[in-house]
Amino acid sequence: MHLGVMTKEYNMESWEQILDRIAAQGMHALHVNPASAGLHPEGPLLTLQRAHALADAVSAHRLEIAAISGTYNMIHPDLEIRASGCKRLAWLIRCAALLGVPYVTLCTGTLDPDNMWRAHPGNNDSACLLLLERELEPSLALCAETGVNLLVEPETSNVVNTPEKAVQLLRDVASPNLFITMDAANLFHPGDSAPMRETLARAIHLLSPYIRMAHAKDIAAGGVGFTRPGLGVVDFPFYLWLLRQAGFDGSIILHGFPAREVPDAAAYITSIWEG
């Protein structure tokens, strides 16, 4: 297990400052928000030389990039918005290939036109899953070419809102470049975290062959919003036990809470994992 963080939680002036802070907190892995590393499709070209410089800076801090975020609303009702997101994703897949990063992460989208983290009743229409599968086709073709893989995440606000729908997506697409990010907190609707153990066990049982990265944030008491692991309602000892029983050996990424709380969160996760 490699413990890491999302770089978007760090409000620093430069990539070097972000790396300094994360390394000082004892982390090992990064889930990179492209803006943190100065990666913009409209910005400077990511040449091989620049890619090596970015990767060398990470290595010099004894860190590794576990994944790059490529998230956009993959079933947005506006075709032009989807096309723009798909184009940016293709650019990020090529960036990942240059940087030697194995995974680019995605959400699966919602029909809500204004907030891709807000559920929509139409998300459960079977046509939405078909739309998502078609949206994935060009990106997965590029993944087959570059060797980069995509990670999608089951979350209640999106079209893939259950472990069962995630399995259906994986089987329908049948791509060797499509895998899963598991986030326990995203398996529950706001205000409803029960039945906790049954839900976690079902999710990891169904998806364990495909899980390549895990996220660690907690659901705040009361069921609305997030907090650091150990302060909310997610049963982290059971969640981490399930991952270990499934043979998970990837990165566990801390996020969803202030960067200053990372050391406490890391100590909590490590004590459970190694205990």
Side-chain angles (χ1 to χ4, degrees):
M1 183 270 289
H2 305 282
L3 201 56
V5 290
M6 278 193 180
T7 60
K8 72 175 184 179
E9 309 295 355
Y10 294 79
N11 185 21
M12 304 291 183
E13 292 184 1
S14 72
W15 179 234
E16 282 287 340
Q17 287 177 326
I18 291 172
L19 296 179
D20 287 344
R21 177 80 181 279
I22 292 172
Q25 291 179 323
M27 296 296 98
H28 302 287
L30 306 174
H31 188 164
V32 172
N33 177 280
S36 302
L39 296 175
H40 303 279
E42 300 81 15
L45 180 68
L46 185 65
T47 61
L48 187 59
Q49 181 180 9
R50 183 166 172 244
H52 283 165
L54 284 170
D56 288 348
V58 172
S59 297
H61 287 79
R62 298 185 179 180
L63 297 165
E64 63 179 33
I65 302 177
I68 295 174
S69 176
T71 290
Y72 72 99
N73 189 344
M74 300 193 80
I75 64 164
H76 195 287
D78 188 312
L79 179 59
E80 289 188 8
I81 290 176
R82 291 206 310 273
S84 176
C86 187
K87 181 178 179 181
R88 177 176 177 272
L89 175 58
W91 183 81
L92 287 168
I93 291 169
R94 293 194 182 279
C95 286
L98 278 174
L99 290 163
V101 176
Y103 302 114
V104 174
T105 61
L106 299 168
C107 74
T108 58
T110 174
L111 288 178
D112 188 293
D114 303 314
N115 184 346
M116 67 179 173
W117 309 117
R118 188 161 59 203
H120 187 284
N123 289 351
N124 289 317
D125 190 311
S126 60
C128 285
L129 192 60
L130 291 174
L131 174 59
L132 171 63
E133 291 168 3
R134 289 196 299 270
E135 185 75 8
L136 281 166
E137 287 176 1
S139 299
L140 287 170
L142 182 56
C143 285
E145 175 188 327
T146 60
V148 174
N149 303 288
L150 298 182
L151 300 182
V152 297
E153 185 174 339
E155 45 195 312
T156 55
S157 62
N158 277 197
V159 58
V160 174
N161 50 21
T162 66
E164 289 79 7
K165 287 184 79 172
V167 170
Q168 183 181 347
L169 172 68
L170 291 162
R171 289 176 177 170
D172 287 351
V173 172
S175 168
N177 299 105
L178 185 63
F179 297 99
I180 293 292
T181 299
M182 178 56 62
D183 189 329
N186 287 346
L187 296 173
F188 302 95
H189 292 278
D192 176 21
S193 58
M196 172 68 65
R197 289 198 165 196
E198 178 184 327
T199 301
L200 293 175
R202 184 179 79 252
I204 294 178
H205 171 72
L206 289 171
L207 295 170
S208 60
Y210 310 102
I211 298 171
R212 295 295 182 272
M213 188 167 72
H215 282 173
K217 65 176 181 285
D218 212 336
I219 301 170
V224 179
F226 300 112
T227 186
R228 71 168 173 83
L231 295 184
V233 300
V234 172
D235 189 338
F236 269 93
F238 189 61
Y239 174 46
L240 297 178
W241 179 82
L242 288 168
L243 287 173
R244 291 194 67 172
Q245 290 296 111
F248 176 78
D249 63 354
S251 296
I252 296 179
I253 302 296
L254 304 167
H255 79 107
F257 52 90
R260 66 179 180 275
E261 298 181 11
V262 163
D264 287 337
Y268 175 71
I269 295 295
T270 301
S271 69
I272 296 172
W273 191 268
E274 296 180 352

